[in-house]
Amino acid sequence: CGWATDANGGGRCVYIPDAVLGTQLVECDFCPQQSHCFGQGCSAEATPCACASAEQGCRWEPNIDGGECVAHGVDEPATGCNLCPSQSHCLSFIPRVLSFEPSNGGYYEGGHASIRVRVWFSVPIYWCATPDGQGSGVAVWCKGRVPELEELSGAWLSIAESVLSVDLSGVLGGLVLNDERQCGLTIAPNTICSSTTKVPFPGFSKGEYRFVLRDTIPPALLGFMPQNGKEDVALDGAVDLAFDEKITIGLDSYAVATLSQLEVGDYSGTTTTVVSMQIALTPP
């Protein structure tokens, strides 16, 4: 059989008599798996992964212009994993994240003045390209911060064997933390590579790794009822304390108020506690 192309763009399978066998072949564009089509059409593939997955049997050959897709000879190497890490035989070479410090979704406990994050990888790593102030590929984000996402300078990044260390003090040290703040990192694809296989890490986007910076500013008392110095206060009344942020009741041993009866000296003006009692604090 052969394939006859119709003028309107379709086609059909037709019988080829023995006398003309070989004169009507199925074009390689329609069926690249044919043995005589091996390697044909490789030049049409413009990227390493498209070349590696082409059915014609192709491989990507790097050159000074970037590379080209050529026929894959029997004794020639396949497309390198560093060029197309998504190939099935390359998956085991891709760097993987083993752990974070602080943990993903956890709290940063190191103190507000010095904020450092570390990322452990499964293999020794290096920079695929030298990071600089404009293109390190590593960024920090914090909800409510302006700008929310900021790419980091290479001076704040370092690699030791399989650990990426990120110093965020210069970026986040000035945050006013009167409430918990969720932050995190992003790493662009092809920023970090395996030192041994040169295979790039696929990276992770905003929200895939996050941590929480704790509130470092204690609540401030804005006012209270009854007002200071108020007279004729009902003995069965209540005292309301207003703060500048949401609060919760702490540990029972500390969540108490002390109510005292005071006596002020007529001449000295000094205050003396006559009697006191502790009252457990409760939310309104």
Side-chain angles (χ1 to χ4, degrees), residues 258-277:
T258 302
L259 178 66
S260 302
Q261 179 184 347
L262 306 179
E263 184 178 85
V264 180
D266 294 335
Y267 301 102
S268 64
T270 58
T271 301
T272 303
T273 300
V274 178
V275 61
S276 296
M277 64 178 296

Side-chain angles (χ1 to χ4, degrees), residues 101-102 107-117 166-175 177 183 211-217:
E101 185 185 69
Y107 285 88
Y108 182 78
E109 305 287 357
H112 184 228
S114 177
I115 304 176
R116 288 180 171 80
V117 173
V166 184
D167 187 349
L168 300 177
S169 305
V171 180
L172 303 183
L175 280 179
L177 294 176
C183 303
F211 58 90
V212 177
L213 294 177
R214 291 189 183 275
D215 184 350
T216 59
I217 301 177

Side-chain angles (χ1 to χ4, degrees), residues 17-160:
D18 292 342
V20 294
L21 188 63
T23 61
Q24 297 185 40
L25 299 175
V26 179
E27 295 181 25
C28 291
D29 289 342
F30 297 120
C31 182
Q33 296 93 338
Q34 302 170 94
S35 59
H36 67 275
C37 297
F38 182 81
Q40 294 188 30
C42 291
S43 59
E45 307 297 345
T47 64
C49 287
C51 178
S53 61
E55 296 180 346
Q56 302 96 310
C58 309
R59 68 180 180 87
W60 188 263
E61 180 67 29
N63 56 37
I64 58 175
D65 297 321
E68 60 178 335
C69 191
V70 299
H72 186 187
V74 176
D75 297 326
E76 293 176 328
T79 301
C81 290
N82 60 315
L83 301 172
C84 180
S86 61
Q87 300 173 90
S88 59
H89 66 278
C90 299
L91 298 181
S92 61
F93 300 130
I94 298 176
R96 295 178 294 105
V97 172
L98 297 181
S99 62
F100 296 97
E101 185 185 69
S103 61
N104 194 6
Y107 285 88
Y108 182 78
E109 305 287 357
H112 184 228
S114 177
I115 304 176
R116 288 180 171 80
V117 173
R118 292 192 292 179
V119 185
W120 279 265
F121 288 87
S122 57
V123 295
I125 55 173
Y126 77 109
W127 298 111
C128 301
T130 302
D132 54 41
Q134 301 299 319
S136 69
V138 181
V140 61
W141 59 271
C142 273
K143 286 187 175 181
R145 180 178 177 270
V146 180
E148 185 168 295
L149 181 71
E150 181 177 347
E151 189 166 23
L152 298 171
S153 165
W156 298 332
L157 310 170
S158 63
I159 287 176

Side-chain angles (χ1 to χ4, degrees), residues 191-264:
T191 296
I192 292 173
C193 289
S194 165
S195 298
T196 54
T197 62
K198 317 302 180 188
V199 176
F201 173 59
F204 51 79
S205 57
K206 180 182 175 182
E208 292 187 56
Y209 168 60
R210 61 193 184 279
F211 58 90
V212 177
L213 294 177
R214 291 189 183 275
D215 184 350
T216 59
I217 301 177
L221 186 62
L222 297 179
F224 32 77
M225 291 293 292
Q227 297 178 349
N228 189 25
K230 180 72 172 178
E231 297 181 356
D232 300 325
V233 176
L235 296 179
D236 59 351
V239 175
D240 296 330
L241 306 177
F243 293 89
D244 63 344
E245 59 178 310
K246 292 181 178 180
I247 59 172
T248 60
I249 301 299
L251 298 175
D252 291 344
S253 57
Y254 296 101
V256 294
T258 302
L259 178 66
S260 302
Q261 179 184 347
L262 306 179
E263 184 178 85
V264 180

